Amino acid sequence: MAATAVLGMALAACGSSDSGGGDAAASDSPSASESSAATETYTDDKCAANQTSADSFRIGGILPLTGSLAFLGPPEIAGVGLASSDINAAGGVDGAKSCTDIQDSGDSNDMSVSTASAGTLVASKPSVVIGAASSSVSLNVVDTFADNKIVEISPANTAVDLSGYSPWYFRTAPPDGVQGNALGTLITTDGYTKVGFLVFNDTYGTGLRNAVQDTVEAAGGSCVYGCAGKGQEFPPGQTTFSSEVSGVLAAKPDAIVVLAFDETKSIVPELKAQGWDMSKTYFSDGNTADYSADFAKGTLEGAQGTIPGADPDQAFKDRLQGWNQAVNGEKLKDYSYGAESYDATILAALAAVKGGATDPATIQKNLAAVSGASDGEECTTYSDCVALLEDGKEIHYKGPSGIGPIDDENDPSSAFVGIYTFDGNNSPSLSSTVEGAKGSEG
């Protein structure tokens, strides 16, 4: 069965123009809930060496501390840390203490980092591993965790290759069919029919390109450069793009989609230098980021990008900030995948509660059920969900990421995609939110 996305394209009213959107830059302005979040007691529950899944809810993390996706590390780590703090505040997992052990995933430019971290995590005997952020990194380590029967839950992987990859692999981010459909629909709705791609040769990049291209072509448009099967991708880590930019501009596109990570910082100046109208440029979650310190003001004004994930309410953002400042003494710059990391951790803990043990096999068996796959009673906090489980009820945990129940490919059955517009300071601001539902066809 091939996974496809069916996207309901009514723009949801939950979108806002707040620059502190679900996954965009964090706002410096105080919110009504900040005072209560600031006075809350947060814990930093780092694991001791002798804590294992036999006696604790041990949360391993394989998240980007270094590399091209290191900007995603702080909010993801804060999501895991805040969830652990909430779990312990509610009495742990059937009395077992929750603890965290975050290891570096690095990025796809140096897989030795994630290989080493996966080995370290396996040896520590965790209950669950949260990560990786990069789909390519997860593909590098997923078999290691699966072979050792350890549950891996990524808060950010979107590559379609990971759908149904292993019974031990789950994610709280939607596959690229959902984001690609949203991005392709955005482009065609904006009136563009001839699309060029500047895409790196990476599982994430090519998979997302294929989804966007399919959506554009289904709407009557065409791909003019960087298309599937044309061999015009560039390798990850490339730093100069004169020939690629010349090539895509020679194809005379109406719009250009840039699918890359740090390479974006070299691509954008080259596009600008060769006269491209940057407002006709589109980005995705890998590079819809704050470039206020990288480019001259106005460089990206009007450009747009997509990031999977709901815009969490301000109270959750303030709590994420509160935990990070209490533990790390610094302010988060954005919230990218913080909600998805939080929900991945809470879902794993609830699965352990439902099954009555903190080992990975118990979590793997019960994860889909607590996400709502068994049509349970809806609950929104760990403590409320635990109370329902203790009463013998089935539950449907609905957390700040807004995802639907986990499906039979261990993906969210539905998820939100935020649409962002870059302002004059080259910062992305949430403009609307679209909900996409994942389906399947033969």
Side-chain angles (χ1 to χ4, degrees), residues 60-63 129-134 138 141 145 152-155 157 169-170:
I62 186 161
L63 296 169
V129 171
I130 308 299
S134 162
S138 278
V141 300
F145 294 128
E152 177 188 359
I153 312 175
S154 172
N157 289 169
Y169 173 86
F170 298 80

Side-chain angles (χ1 to χ4, degrees), residues 6-69:
V6 180
L7 192 68
M9 284 309 298
L11 297 183
C14 59
S16 74
S17 59
D18 174 23
S19 64
D23 296 293
S27 174
D28 288 327
S29 57
S31 70
S33 58
E34 276 186 321
S35 57
S36 59
T39 57
E40 186 175 345
T41 299
Y42 301 102
T43 55
D44 183 17
D45 308 310
K46 287 188 170 61
C47 294
N50 62 349
Q51 286 181 286
T52 72
S53 61
D55 56 23
S56 304
F57 180 62
R58 185 179 180 112
I59 309 160
I62 186 161
L63 296 169
L65 307 181
T66 62
S68 60
L69 291 181

